[in-house]
Amino acid sequence: MNLDNYANEELLQEIQVLQTRLKTAEDTLEAIHQGGVDAFVIATPEGEKVFTLQSGDYTYRLLIEQMSEGAVIVTSEGGILYANQAFANLVQISLAKIIGSKFQEFILEQDVDKLQALMKIKKQDLVAAGEFSLININQQEISVYINANSLNINSYEITCLIVTDLTEKHQNEQIIASERFARSILEQVGESIVVCDETGKIIRASQVFNTLCGTNPLWQNFDNLISLFFSHLDPNIITNIIQSLPNYVPDIMVEHRFYISTVLQGQIYNGVEVYFQRPDGQQFDLFLNARP
């Protein structure tokens, strides 16, 4: 047996094993570099353990960055140590300019004292929250709700502020208030008032109109629900009505009937006499005022 040949074969096998291990290590490092590895499972005397490649606060930082609310960490003097992108978007200023500035710079001057009072309440471990007005780079006011919480890091007291944009909430409140106001007018007005959408469907109606129809008119087509006929009408208006009707077939009743489509196309009626006969036989003589 040739000892030299045996030694060479053993050396080659060892080299092959080392090359395989090296290839595995290089593939692992490449996967880590490419972001393809989130954690390692390592066998230990206590059993398998999972070791993540990210720092312990990574998940929390990611959560804060993805929040729709603004998050700001300030010192006791109001200096900004940290702010997320949502807050930067709110005030329309880059994060680079926000960090190191004073939070008071972004608060409406009249609300600065209110903010200082909020910070004092926070120090007493009470609920510290309230509505404020921020100022963005264009000097526009933004209604926000600020919640303050105390943090203590290495015996250094700081404050975390969660800033929620109230603009949409206030807009919705205004819409609701406007809607309630419109409804109250329609409920109390002593006239038959109807509001139709672009298809001729009734979307609002006063109580007097409900009584006139004898039924709930909402979401019904106006022309299908009620047939109004002109008592006396200018021939020029009749011509306009006829021209606005699709597939017109001459008919004396059609010529003297009011159609909502004429209003939707721009026709205006002021104090025009019309009459309406309800299915129960009762007839009403009315003055018609209609416009887009």
Side-chain angles (χ1 to χ4, degrees), residues 97-115:
K97 293 182 178 180
I98 292 175
I99 305 301
S101 61
K102 293 284 188 179
F103 188 77
Q104 291 89 326
E105 296 175 16
F106 304 104
I107 292 288
L108 190 68
E109 187 176 353
Q110 296 92 300
D111 284 355
V112 172
D113 290 341
K114 184 179 174 182
L115 176 67

Side-chain angles (χ1 to χ4, degrees), residues 15 67 104 129 153 178 184 238:
I15 292 173
M67 283 173 53
Q104 291 89 326
I153 300 178
S178 176
S184 68
I238 292 180

Side-chain angles (χ1 to χ4, degrees), residues 194-204 217-223 260 264:
V194 186
V195 180
C196 297
D197 65 11
E198 67 276 6
T199 67
K201 285 185 179 179
I202 299 172
I203 58 175
R204 295 288 183 274
L218 291 182
W219 306 115
Q220 296 192 56
N221 183 277
F222 182 91
D223 291 333
I260 195 67
L264 296 173

Side-chain angles (χ1 to χ4, degrees), residues 4-72:
D4 290 338
N5 291 338
Y6 179 80
N8 287 338
E9 288 178 6
E10 190 175 19
L11 184 60
L12 288 173
Q13 289 178 358
E14 225 176 309
I15 292 173
Q16 188 174 5
V17 170
L18 290 173
Q19 286 178 333
T20 301
R21 292 174 63 183
L22 178 61
K23 180 69 166 58
T24 301
E26 287 179 340
D27 290 344
T28 302
L29 289 173
E30 181 64 21
I32 295 172
H33 180 71
Q34 297 295 331
V37 177
D38 297 320
F40 287 105
V41 179
I42 307 295
T44 69
E46 294 78 29
E48 292 185 342
K49 290 187 177 181
V50 177
F51 295 87
T52 63
L53 298 182
Q54 298 161 340
S55 60
D57 65 345
Y58 175 79
T59 303
Y60 300 101
R61 289 180 63 87
L62 183 63
L63 176 64
I64 296 299
E65 286 299 327
Q66 297 299 319
M67 283 173 53
S68 58
E69 292 84 6
V72 185

Side-chain angles (χ1 to χ4, degrees), residues 167-180:
T167 303
E168 184 175 350
K169 177 177 179 291
H170 285 175
Q171 287 176 344
N172 290 338
E173 288 175 348
Q174 290 175 358
I175 291 172
I176 292 172
S178 176
E179 176 70 12
R180 287 175 178 167

